[in-house]
Amino acid sequence: MKALSPKSIKEDLDGLISELIGKGICDDANFSAVRSYGNQADVTFSGSEHISIALGNIEYADIYSELADKRSYNMKLVDGALVQLMYRMKSNRLIQHRLSFYPSPNLLPFQDDPESYMRDDLFLEIIQRRIVPFPLRFDFDERDGVHADVTHPKSHLTLGDVKGCRIPISAPLTPRWFVEFILRNFYQTDNHDFVRDLPRHRIKFPASITKNEESLMHMVVPYQVVR
């Protein structure tokens, strides 16, 4: 495992972006950038200044359209889904992350050029599995005044941007674990295995879940598994 730093997170993330481009599942990308100020550093991307759009009280289709138009993502996948990964560190310690997945609500590329996609087995396999698109987000925040035991876990999953939906998670997610989660649950098909040849795990984060949160249904990031 590499020492944890903004550079190691950037390398982990950019390696995954390159891999997904090579596999043909990523159509467009903004590679990550490190922005430092004092002893704090953000691993972010061009267009990240527009993520506040997602916090507005507007229809999901409009949120997606604004993010897509402004290229506010690390990756745009073959079916139009947008993937965002942002990390904030202080003295090489993770203090926040925001990892988001925004499926396309309308699959416009297919509607615009159906004959082209009818010849694309990968695209057809993916869209045939899609039922109702909804966003999901993995958040981590250990700042004072933000974390509240059980009601606002430091690391949690929010489904559909539902206020109050915070499923506890054992630890923050590295880029590698987040990308594997998305690919394994939304893109694996009988004919396409996107997870098997992903770059190996290079970094890990310490556990953040409390004893009270462990007594609830929660998700576990299996950092103890060596692969």
Side-chain angles (χ1 to χ4, degrees):
M1 291 288 178
K2 286 190 174 183
L4 192 58
S5 68
K7 180 181 177 182
S8 64
I9 293 177
K10 172 180 167 55
E11 290 175 349
D12 199 50
L13 174 51
D14 287 349
L16 290 161
I17 293 174
S18 296
E19 183 72 16
L20 267 60
I21 291 173
K23 288 178 179 292
I25 195 170
C26 177
D27 273 352
D28 188 23
N30 287 308
F31 284 87
S32 61
V34 176
R35 299 172 184 167
S36 300
Y37 37 102
N39 64 345
Q40 192 163 297
D42 290 345
V43 182
T44 184
F45 56 90
S46 175
S48 63
E49 65 272 19
H50 302 297
I51 64 169
S52 60
I53 294 167
L55 303 178
N57 187 24
I58 59 177
E59 293 291 330
Y60 176 61
D62 295 329
I63 292 173
Y64 172 89
S65 179
E66 285 291 314
L67 293 174
D69 288 347
K70 291 177 168 34
R71 298 188 72 249
S72 183
Y73 50 78
N74 289 95
M75 292 181 277
K76 186 175 185 180
L77 304 185
V78 66
D79 59 345
L82 311 179
V83 179
Q84 300 173 335
L85 299 94
M86 303 175 66
Y87 292 84
R88 175 163 291 169
M89 304 193 71
K90 188 174 183 179
S91 300
N92 286 340
R93 176 185 175 89
L94 181 70
I95 56 175
Q96 289 176 271
H97 76 41
R98 186 181 191 278
L99 316 175
S100 304
F101 175 66
Y102 293 96
S104 171
N106 48 26
L107 295 173
L108 282 176
F110 178 75
Q111 295 169 350
D112 289 348
D113 191 6
E115 292 185 3
S116 174
Y117 284 117
M118 289 300 288
R119 296 189 295 270
D120 190 331
D121 293 339
L122 167 58
F123 186 85
L124 287 177
E125 280 191 279
I126 290 171
I127 66 168
Q128 285 169 357
R129 300 174 62 190
R130 181 66 47 78
I131 302 175
V132 178
F134 66 93
L136 61 85
R137 191 178 70 250
F138 289 91
D139 286 333
F140 173 77
D141 198 328
E142 68 166 21
R143 293 175 300 167
D144 293 339
V146 176
H147 167 248
D149 193 18
V150 174
T151 58
H152 198 140
K154 289 181 181 179
S155 185
H156 62 266
L157 168 63
T158 296
L159 301 174
D161 281 338
V162 175
K163 185 178 181 180
C165 175
R166 300 186 185 100
I167 301 167
I169 303 177
S170 63
L173 274 70
T174 61
R176 174 61 170 76
W177 274 120
F178 175 64
V179 168
E180 176 173 334
F181 178 88
I182 297 300
L183 294 179
R184 186 178 298 280
N185 290 287
F186 300 103
Y187 294 92
Q188 290 287 86
T189 70
D190 291 340
N191 297 317
H192 295 87
D193 182 350
F194 298 110
V195 173
R196 182 179 56 194
D197 296 325
L198 284 179
R200 64 182 178 85
H201 294 274
R202 294 185 174 90
I203 56 176
K204 65 178 181 179
F205 295 122
S208 62
I209 195 167
T210 67
K211 290 295 184 182
N212 289 329
E213 291 160 0
E214 280 186 321
S215 69
L216 306 174
M217 290 184 63
H218 63 279
M219 296 178 65
V220 174
V221 188
Y223 285 116
Q224 70 275 15
V225 177
V226 177
R227 288 198 283 163

